Amino acid sequence: MADTATTASAAAASAASTSTDAPPFQLGKPRFQQTSFYGRFRHFLDIIDPRTLFVTERRLREAVQLLEDYKHGTLRPGVTNEQLWSAQKIKQAILHPDTNEKIFMPFRMSGYIPFGTPIVVGLLLPNQTLASTVFWQWLNQSHNACVNYANRNATKPSPASKFIQGYLGAVISAVSIAVGLNVLVQKANKFTPATRLLVQRFVPFPAVASANICNVVLMRYGELEEGIDVLDGDGNLVGSSKIAARHALLETALTRVVLPMPILVLPPIVMSMLEKTALLQARPRLLLPVQSLVCLAAFGLALPLAISLFPQMSEIETSQLEPEIARATSSRTVVYNKGL
């Protein structure tokens, strides 16, 4: 039986080896090396590729079937590595890895930028009222919560109360900080009207960044109490580590702070310069379309850069972990899943 499986896998690999441009296909593995920042950047560019939003139902079925054929060693002759990588990209972009159910389009990672950009534009609108500030912060955190839930780890049942707690904490912190900073700016008598308007444009960043940290802590505080799994170089479970959990949460929180920085800081700077140009002063109706394009460009650049900062599977030396973890393996280092 083992010989048959080996022969089938070899046949599948042989059938796929006709492509020289793409690396050899590995089922369920990233196409690009995850040990370098550039490799992770290329990997996440694939994950957020908005072109997968337009994949038809028929194309999705064909991609899934192609991967099933590869898995069972029944791949038809002439299939290239490039075709297999493309099929895996389509499947991972549309179907949840644990449930194999389709993820609602606005909540896919590939839909995060197209559906999130209008919210970013709303967050950065000048001369916001109290009501509009509350509305855009609430909408932003609601969208983030839906994306987090749709792409959650579904291998273990998680109570809905945990997601509700994280959502409410993020909304309350975002709204409180945004409203509080706006009130302080309005009461700052030393600011000229022009300076006050410029400062107000930067208010969304600390509000969103603090809400992101709050969300991570509330959603994953259980990991600090129970620890997370650490694996040796062969993928074998070594144990559960609370120290690794702290590292994972710190890396995730840092990613969540870096992510909104270019999105919510660069557009106000760019727009403050563009608004002084003769074109926009003569045609103020172009302000909103131009701001939307600037936000889209900043979002498209920031998302893959931020989530590429740390490997998905981070490495840590056993000497930095609990003594029982170090005693349980001969490996000098172990790895853990930091989450997104």
Side-chain angles (χ1 to χ4, degrees), residues 53 105-108 110-120 143 299:
L53 296 172
M105 191 181 291
F107 305 147
R108 297 174 193 169
S110 55
Y112 195 50
I113 293 174
F115 290 96
T117 298
I119 299 175
V120 173
H143 180 241
F299 207 163

Side-chain angles (χ1 to χ4, degrees), residues 17-52:
S17 66
T18 55
S19 173
T20 56
D21 295 333
F25 179 72
Q26 292 180 288
L27 186 64
K29 301 289 185 180
R31 176 172 179 168
F32 304 100
Q33 288 292 329
Q34 299 298 286
T35 52
S36 69
F37 175 82
Y38 180 70
R40 296 193 295 272
F41 181 72
R42 292 287 304 276
H43 170 66
F44 284 113
L45 280 180
D46 264 359
I47 288 179
I48 66 170
D49 188 349
R51 291 176 297 178
T52 57

